[in-house]
Amino acid sequence: RVSVTPHPFVLRPPETQKQSFSKDDELVFNLLLFGDLNKRLPYFIYAFQQAGRRGIGKRINGRRPKFSLKQVSARGFEIYSDATETIEQADAVETLSVNRENVPQQASRVRLELKTPLRLKFNNRIERDLPFHVLVRAMLRRISSLFTAYAGGEPDLDYKGLLERAATIRTQDNQLFWHDWERYSNRQKQRMPMSGMAGSVTYEGDLGEFLPLLDICAKVHIGKNTAFGLGKIDSIIL
């Protein structure tokens, strides 16, 4: 059972390997908000505006680099533009569900791609491999915690049966590797480990009932440090 309330947001980094940005570069990132926090989007926009004016990142010649917030969009709707400096209201909130309406009904092979480092704990240790049952445990934990905290209650899922059947799924191809990474915490004044699994892994078996879980978790991330954008996954039916 979930004992810690998950963060109500995910700050998803730019999909680039670039780590240093120059003057006039464009930086595109995503912010996911869960539950009623969507109603507070204007506060986030204001916070990013203020952060840009004050500066972020490492100090250069005694000052932090500054940025300007140019545009905010949600599901194809432009919500904010620096040209008008006004926030438009739009019905851009997506409701997630564990039903099978919008996903294929069957699949015998699925490739899982790890877009950002994936940190999972199993048997009280950080995993460096990803058997399917470990993946399913992580997905069920993430879905259960988010739905309980922000969607009115735990979803009606056969947790025990799903885990038992997940144990029958085979790893057909493993292209995973360990990605070393760390961040510096200004609050704790120390470097924090953020390393995790990267690459891809292909599973084989009766995967149909797990597709809704993969679909949801591709949107909300899984594992540890999701608030920092870790655990972004994508699944491809082969």
Side-chain angles (χ1 to χ4, degrees):
R1 293 299 178 187
V2 178
S3 58
V4 179
T5 301
H7 290 292
F9 67 89
V10 171
L11 185 60
R12 183 180 291 170
E15 294 186 2
T16 175
Q17 298 296 317
K18 188 175 181 179
Q19 297 185 17
S20 298
F21 293 84
S22 303
K23 183 179 179 180
D24 296 328
D25 280 353
E26 186 178 73
L27 179 66
V28 180
F29 64 92
N30 288 284
L31 175 69
L32 310 181
L33 303 178
F34 303 126
D36 287 341
L37 201 64
N38 280 277
K39 300 175 182 177
R40 296 175 173 81
L41 177 59
Y43 294 100
F44 282 87
I45 293 176
Y46 177 76
F48 282 114
Q49 286 176 323
Q50 294 302 305
R53 290 166 183 164
R54 296 178 182 180
I56 61 173
K58 293 183 179 179
R59 295 183 183 274
I60 300 176
N61 297 325
R63 297 191 303 176
R64 298 186 189 279
K66 298 181 179 182
F67 67 89
S68 59
L69 185 64
K70 305 295 289 184
Q71 184 186 53
V72 178
S73 298
R75 302 188 71 192
F77 296 97
E78 183 180 280
I79 292 178
Y80 168 85
S81 170
D82 66 338
T84 60
E85 292 194 337
T86 58
I87 299 175
E88 301 291 338
Q89 297 297 321
D91 184 15
V93 177
E94 180 180 2
T95 300
L96 299 181
S97 172
V98 293
N99 64 41
R100 303 171 61 89
E101 291 180 2
N102 299 317
V103 296
Q105 299 298 302
Q106 295 181 338
S108 58
R109 291 178 67 221
V110 169
R111 182 171 73 243
L112 184 77
E113 297 183 349
L114 308 184
K115 299 296 187 179
T116 57
L118 174 59
R119 292 173 58 82
L120 292 181
K121 262 193 174 182
F122 181 64
N123 288 336
N124 207 32
R125 66 182 180 88
I126 295 292
E127 280 292 310
R128 288 176 175 256
D129 199 6
L130 196 56
F132 193 70
H133 72 91
V134 173
L135 171 66
V136 171
R137 287 177 190 276
M139 293 194 296
L140 290 174
R141 188 181 304 116
R142 179 66 165 161
I143 291 171
S144 175
S145 63
L146 286 177
F147 276 59
T148 299
Y150 307 115
E154 193 170 334
D156 183 17
L157 291 170
D158 177 16
Y159 292 88
K160 184 174 183 293
L162 284 166
L163 289 173
E164 289 175 350
R165 293 185 290 276
T168 68
I169 303 298
R170 302 173 298 279
T171 299
Q172 191 265 333
D173 183 50
N174 189 339
Q175 298 295 325
L176 296 173
F177 60 91
W178 190 252
H179 178 79
D180 286 313
W181 186 36
E182 62 181 14
R183 71 177 181 90
Y184 183 78
S185 171
N186 282 314
R187 182 173 63 87
Q188 300 186 42
K189 304 301 180 184
Q190 63 178 330
R191 295 189 176 278
M192 309 293 291
M194 301 282 279
S195 302
M197 290 178 280
S200 66
V201 56
T202 301
Y203 300 109
E204 191 172 57
D206 189 2
L207 290 154
E209 67 178 325
F210 301 104
L211 298 182
L213 308 183
L214 289 165
D215 181 65
I216 290 178
C217 290
K219 299 170 182 174
V220 302
H221 298 220
I222 59 172
K224 298 174 67 65
N225 305 117
T226 53
F228 293 99
L230 269 63
K232 184 180 188 308
I233 66 172
D234 193 15
S235 60
I236 302 170
I237 298 175
L238 302 176

